[in-house]
Amino acid sequence: MRIIAVTNQKGGTTKTTTTVNLGAALAQAGQQVLVVDADPQADASIWLRQVDKGHAISPSLYEVLTADDLPLADIVRPTTTSNLSIAPCDLRLASAELHLLGEMGGELHLRRAMTGLERFDYVLVDCAPSLGLIVVNVLCVAPEIIIPLQAEYLPMDALVALGETVAKIRQLFNPALRVMGVLVGRFSPTSDVRRDSLDAIQARFGDLMFETIIGQDVRLEEAPAHRLTILEHAPATRSARQFLALAQEVMSRGQ
Ligand SMILES: Nc1ncnc2c1ncn2[C@@H]1O[C@H](COP(=O)(O)OP(=O)(O)OP(=O)(O)O)[C@@H](O)[C@H]1O
Ligand SMILES: [Mg+2]
């Protein structure tokens, strides 16, 4: 089983889009995939048809992170996509931060709950745009990180703090933690600034950057409103093919 955190503390860098559609692409490739929604915005849970916006779902990751002994496996539900399951959450998850703060060893609460998940090949965790205790919990569990970013002027600014957090967690809790890949998740080659940024990202991250780049695509932007993955909503589009290619890269980077 590979556990992968999709994280970047900057908002809107395509974390949820990447988690949901990479998950669907891995599932289509025959892998058993669990998406864990660790963002109180609950975008992945809404997208994968578990909960309506503003509504609660129970049991959810909130219960896992606030109960003494509730395994993550107990909140796993199937989605309408075969091979793809989800551990959902809702808005209440935001208040789990406070609970974790008051708990001895609160950083490792999620790690203690990671039992009974052997049937999954991949666990993909969609993180909130934050470096709070929930993200820290995720990074204490996941050995691998995917960082999605947009090709824009100085996208690296936000990564300094993330890099420091990763270094600290590696040192204190999770020596195996590593960045598996940096993904350009929404690229439109029409402006020079963006092309220059792409060069800058390439220069900064080298081989860490995925060869696959997800292009700007209106079909991808509208998919969550239809609550369909891109492979269901528009399987013949370029971005659907790009997510299938990304899945192949992720699989080969694990070997
Ligand atoms: N390749 C793409 N082409 C067009 N729109 C995209 C693409 N990828 C993502 N988007 C859109 O960009 C917005 C931000 O994407 P997304 O919600 O995945 O980012 P996020 O990092 O999860 O955001 P947050 O930090 O709020 O959780 C969404 O409206 C999404 O539909
Ligand atoms: Mg998101």
Side-chain angles (χ1 to χ4, degrees), residues 37 42-51 86-90 227:
D37 189 354
D43 289 336
S45 301
I46 296 166
W47 194 337
L48 292 172
R49 300 174 176 236
Q50 302 300 308
V51 64
I86 183 167
C89 77
D90 59 38
R227 301 175 86 176

Side-chain angles (χ1 to χ4, degrees), residues 7-243:
T7 192
N8 185 333
Q9 98 267 23
K10 190 169 171 342
T13 64
T14 78
K15 293 179 287 295
T16 303
T17 305
T18 301
T19 307
V20 166
N21 295 294
L22 172 61
L26 287 166
Q28 185 161 309
Q31 305 296 312
Q32 292 299 324
V33 181
L34 172 64
V35 164
V36 178
D37 189 354
D39 180 356
Q41 298 179 95
D43 289 336
S45 301
I46 296 166
W47 194 337
L48 292 172
R49 300 174 176 236
Q50 302 300 308
V51 64
D52 291 329
K53 208 177 178 69
H55 286 69
I57 180 168
S58 185
S60 71
L61 192 62
Y62 170 79
E63 278 83 4
V64 172
L65 292 182
T66 55
D68 279 345
D69 187 16
L70 179 66
L72 187 73
D74 282 17
I75 68 158
V76 170
R77 297 158 193 252
T79 71
T80 49
T81 301
S82 56
N83 300 342
L84 186 66
S85 299
I86 183 167
C89 77
D90 59 38
L91 273 174
R92 294 173 305 147
L93 183 64
S95 58
E97 293 262 349
L98 259 183
H99 183 99
L100 292 167
L101 211 59
E103 180 185 330
M104 176 88 91
E107 298 91 352
L108 300 177
H109 193 119
L110 185 61
R111 187 188 288 182
R112 293 191 292 272
M114 297 295 288
T115 52
L117 298 168
E118 294 75 16
R119 71 187 167 101
F120 293 107
D121 302 305
Y122 285 86
V123 177
L124 303 181
V125 189
D126 184 24
C127 293
S130 120
L131 283 175
L133 253 186
I134 295 174
V135 175
V136 168
N137 258 267
V138 172
L139 295 181
C140 284
V141 167
E144 299 183 83
I145 302 174
I146 290 177
I147 303 175
L149 36 86
Q150 292 192 34
E152 60 194 358
Y153 191 57
L154 290 182
M156 276 77 96
D157 278 7
L159 297 183
V160 175
L162 176 60
E164 287 167 359
T165 304
V166 168
K168 194 104 236 154
I169 289 174
R170 198 184 282 135
Q171 186 192 358
L172 290 176
F173 301 111
N174 190 0
L177 187 64
R178 70 180 183 101
V179 177
M180 186 237 303
V182 171
L183 174 72
V184 175
R186 182 177 188 173
F187 183 66
S188 138
T190 49
S191 91
D192 287 346
V193 177
R194 297 219 178 90
R195 270 193 300 272
D196 289 350
S197 322
L198 198 59
D199 292 343
I201 295 167
Q202 182 85 65
R204 165 75 177 72
F205 294 107
D207 287 347
L208 267 189
M209 197 173 141
F210 286 109
E211 266 171 47
T212 307
I213 288 173
I214 311 296
Q216 165 86 25
D217 181 2
V218 67
R219 302 306 297 278
L220 195 52
E221 195 166 3
E222 68 196 18
H226 295 275
R227 301 175 86 176
L228 295 169
T229 70
I230 191 65
L231 300 180
E232 295 159 332
H233 178 58
T237 51
R238 200 180 34 146
S239 56
R241 287 197 301 278
Q242 288 164 341
F243 273 106

